[in-house]
């Protein structure tokens, strides 16, 4: 009788071990499937890993009587991942080929304030910040998407050099931003 109890106990232990083993095999199969999905996703996005590009630049001071065709240099950045934007030249140079989104906001007072966005020297956008009353300022924003090759440049200029024009800086009113949407 004692031997039968031991055999039954051993059989129950083997059954429990087999049941646990089946559960562990099921978990391993699920983990392998999840791993395959993750590897697939990583292989399809791997070309973009480490290629984040984003900048946000603003004027730290007002620009007064900006000459016709002068580059508007946004001299302070809050973020410049990829180091594509230069606070010395005011030019963004694409470190990665792909589709980018740019946004330019200009605030001005005294007279209407204008600005152009250029891509490799060609005008691709025009802003006109209306000024209606003394003591107030006009503000305009333009956002656009653009394909850039490595080394392509985007910048902003004053297109007309109006006398007494003031582009407002010193607070986040006049801002130039851009980011990589999809790397090539």
């Amino acid at each position: 009788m004692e031997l039968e109890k031991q055999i039954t106990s051993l059989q129950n232990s083997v059954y429990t071990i087999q049941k646990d083993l089946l559960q562990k095999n099921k978990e391993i199969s699920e983990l392998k499937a999840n791993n395959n999905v993750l590897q697939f996703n990583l292989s399809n996005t791997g070309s973009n890993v480490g290629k984040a590009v984003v900048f946000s630049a603003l004027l730290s001071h007002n620009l007064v009587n900006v000459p016709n065709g002068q580059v508007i240099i946004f001299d302070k950045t809050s973020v410049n991942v990829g180091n594509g934007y230069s606070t010395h030249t005011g030019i963004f140079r694409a470190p990665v080929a792909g589709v980018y989104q740019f946004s330019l906001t200009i605030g001005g007072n005294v007279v209407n304030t204008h600005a152009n966005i250029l891509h490799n020297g060609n005008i691709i956008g025009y802003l006109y910040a209306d000024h209606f009353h003394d003591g107030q300022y006009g503000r305009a924003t333009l956002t656009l998407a653009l394909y850039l090759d490595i080394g392509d440049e985007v910048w902003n200029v004053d297109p007309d050099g109006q006398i007494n024009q003031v582009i407002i800086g010193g607070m986040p009113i006049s801002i130039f931003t851009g980011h990589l949407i999809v790397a090539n």
Side-chain angles (χ1 to χ4, degrees):
M1 184 80 142
E2 185 61 38
L3 187 57
E4 284 181 20
K5 284 183 180 182
Q6 288 178 351
I7 291 173
T8 301
S9 175
L10 287 173
Q11 285 175 334
N12 287 337
S13 294
V14 168
Y15 174 75
T16 301
I17 291 171
Q18 286 176 334
K19 183 178 166 185
D20 288 345
L21 185 59
L22 285 173
Q23 180 62 32
K24 297 298 179 195
N25 283 338
K26 181 180 176 186
E27 290 173 11
I28 289 170
S29 294
E30 289 173 1
L31 288 171
K32 283 181 180 180
N34 287 340
N35 186 44
N36 288 338
V37 168
L38 290 172
Q39 285 180 344
F40 175 80
N41 289 341
L42 183 60
S43 69
N44 286 329
T45 59
S47 62
N48 293 332
V49 173
K51 294 186 180 178
V53 180
V54 62
F55 74 94
S56 184
L58 58 96
L59 293 175
S60 66
H61 59 281
N62 290 349
L63 297 178
V64 181
N65 299 329
V66 180
N68 183 20
Q70 177 177 318
V71 174
I72 301 170
I73 299 174
F74 294 83
D75 60 334
K76 297 289 182 192
T77 57
S78 59
V79 64
N80 194 8
V81 176
N83 296 314
Y85 181 78
S86 169
T87 56
H88 301 292
T89 65
I91 296 173
F92 172 79
R93 183 172 289 123
V96 175
V99 177
Y100 288 79
Q101 180 173 324
F102 294 95
S103 183
L104 173 63
T105 299
I106 294 290
N109 63 11
V110 181
V111 298
N112 297 323
T113 304
H114 309 153
N116 288 346
I117 299 177
L118 287 84
H119 170 226
N120 293 336
N122 299 308
I123 296 172
I124 58 170
Y126 180 76
L127 278 169
Y128 185 82
D130 290 330
H131 171 74
F132 294 110
H133 305 289
D134 288 338
Q136 296 181 354
Y137 59 87
R139 192 169 186 185
T141 298
L142 175 66
T143 301
L144 51 86
L146 182 65
Y147 179 83
L148 300 180
D149 285 319
I150 293 174
D152 277 5
E153 297 178 332
V154 176
W155 67 92
N156 308 287
V157 299
D158 180 339
D160 53 21
Q162 286 191 24
I163 298 170
N164 296 325
Q165 174 176 277
V166 177
I167 299 175
I168 299 174
M171 57 183 136
I173 290 178
S174 297
I175 303 169
F176 181 39
T177 64
H179 67 275
L180 177 66
I181 298 172
V182 178
N184 191 12

